[in-house]
Amino acid sequence: MIPINDFFSAVKLIIYFQLFVFIIASFILPLKRKTNRIFYYILTYYTLTEFITIILKFLISNDDFRSNMNFKNYELSFIITFLLWFYLLELNGVNRKLMRFIYLFFLFFIAIDFLLIQKNDDLKTYIFCMGSFLYLTIFFKLSFDKLKDEDFRFLFNNNYRLLSAPIFMFFGLSLIFAFVDIKLQHVIIYAEVKMYTITTNYINFISYSLLLWYIYIEYRNHKRVITEE
């Protein structure tokens, strides 16, 4: 049995907020819309990934084996969640043929990264970097296309808020993962605050706040439709 005090002391502050967002989504996010279901799957997998990491700390005493399991846990999370984020882009206006190419390219890169680029690295961080690069590229392409078409309604709707929410998280973590040297995580940015702390806590807090805002707007719009009916 895991001591409850040890369990909570092992959880980073941002994980509490992530869990809070997941719980709110579980209760009030309307899941009839396909976009909301895919988004909820992403939240579920993010939460499950962190929960598994915490549990492994208590179940596995061997540090090397536990670290290896954690790395595999995060690598699988990178792959699944990025594919789901790509699918959200497809559901919200990105050309299907283009997205089919993105899926295949991303999976091809994963294979190359495992076999050649980072075959000797514990954590395949370039998977996250490539996923972020592809997502940001397609997102900004979609944004510019909508601006060109003067489709301002799309740019101000709630779906666009959802698509833009992970940008901070993807960009911030990519700054860490693009450089395999773990020493970069301990670089002091300001007043003894490490770069890794700023990235995982503050930048992720912005992304999850935007996701929480999206959930609230979806709930409000859903209640409004029910009231009108």
Side-chain angles (χ1 to χ4, degrees):
M1 190 70 177
I2 300 174
I4 193 68
N5 291 337
D6 291 345
F7 179 84
F8 283 108
S9 64
V11 182
K12 294 181 293 185
L13 181 62
I14 188 61
I15 305 303
Y16 288 120
F17 188 55
Q18 178 181 328
L19 179 60
F20 172 73
V21 174
F22 171 72
I23 292 173
I24 294 298
S26 299
F27 281 99
I28 71 174
L29 183 65
L31 295 179
K32 289 185 178 181
R33 292 185 61 229
K34 192 171 186 178
T35 292
N36 287 345
R37 291 200 300 273
I38 300 302
F39 166 55
Y40 186 71
Y41 297 154
I42 294 172
L43 275 184
T44 300
Y45 208 90
Y46 280 156
T47 305
L48 182 62
T49 299
E50 298 297 343
F51 185 75
I52 290 174
T53 299
I54 297 169
I55 293 299
L56 287 176
K57 180 177 181 179
F58 297 97
L59 294 184
I60 301 177
S61 58
N62 186 294
D63 291 339
D64 291 336
F65 182 66
R66 183 177 67 248
S67 295
N68 184 60
M69 293 293 291
N70 280 330
F71 292 145
K72 300 307 177 187
N73 178 35
Y74 276 104
E75 288 166 357
L76 184 60
S77 178
F78 295 161
I79 296 169
I80 292 177
T81 54
F82 269 115
L83 288 173
L84 290 174
W85 279 116
F86 294 156
Y87 188 47
L88 280 180
L89 287 172
E90 180 180 339
L91 289 177
N92 287 277
V94 179
N95 182 273
R96 180 173 293 183
K97 290 184 178 180
L98 174 60
M99 291 312 303
R100 292 294 181 270
F101 171 79
I102 295 298
Y103 297 140
L104 291 175
F105 179 83
F106 183 58
L107 293 174
F108 175 76
F109 177 83
I110 291 170
I112 295 300
D113 193 38
F114 270 94
L115 296 175
L116 297 175
I117 303 176
Q118 290 187 295
K119 64 178 182 179
N120 296 321
D121 293 341
D122 294 324
L123 179 64
K124 308 301 186 289
T125 56
Y126 290 166
I127 294 175
F128 187 93
C129 295
M130 179 56 70
S132 298
F133 174 76
L134 292 173
Y135 185 90
L136 294 176
T137 301
I138 300 302
F139 171 80
F140 286 119
K141 180 184 183 304
L142 174 65
S143 301
F144 287 131
D145 288 344
K146 294 298 183 180
L147 278 173
K148 183 179 179 180
D149 297 336
E150 297 185 358
D151 188 359
F152 300 112
R153 183 176 181 180
F154 175 82
L155 297 174
F156 288 100
N157 71 19
N158 206 31
N159 284 354
Y160 189 74
R161 184 176 294 112
L162 171 63
L163 296 178
S164 63
I167 287 177
F168 297 96
M169 178 171 57
F170 292 164
F171 181 75
L173 287 176
S174 292
L175 292 177
I176 295 290
F177 290 151
F179 304 95
V180 180
D181 190 354
I182 196 172
K183 293 180 181 178
L184 182 65
Q185 299 180 8
H186 301 288
V187 171
I188 304 298
I189 301 298
Y190 175 76
E192 299 186 356
V193 179
K194 298 178 181 178
M195 182 175 181
Y196 182 77
T197 301
I198 291 177
T199 303
T200 56
N201 287 345
Y202 304 134
I203 295 180
N204 281 359
F205 181 81
I206 296 174
S207 287
Y208 277 103
S209 296
L210 291 173
L211 293 176
L212 188 60
W213 187 15
Y214 169 83
I215 294 169
Y216 169 72
I217 298 298
E218 283 296 292
Y219 171 73
R220 188 188 65 183
N221 291 343
H222 179 66
K223 294 291 287 184
R224 181 178 301 164
V225 170
I226 293 177
T227 302
E228 290 177 354
E229 291 179 350

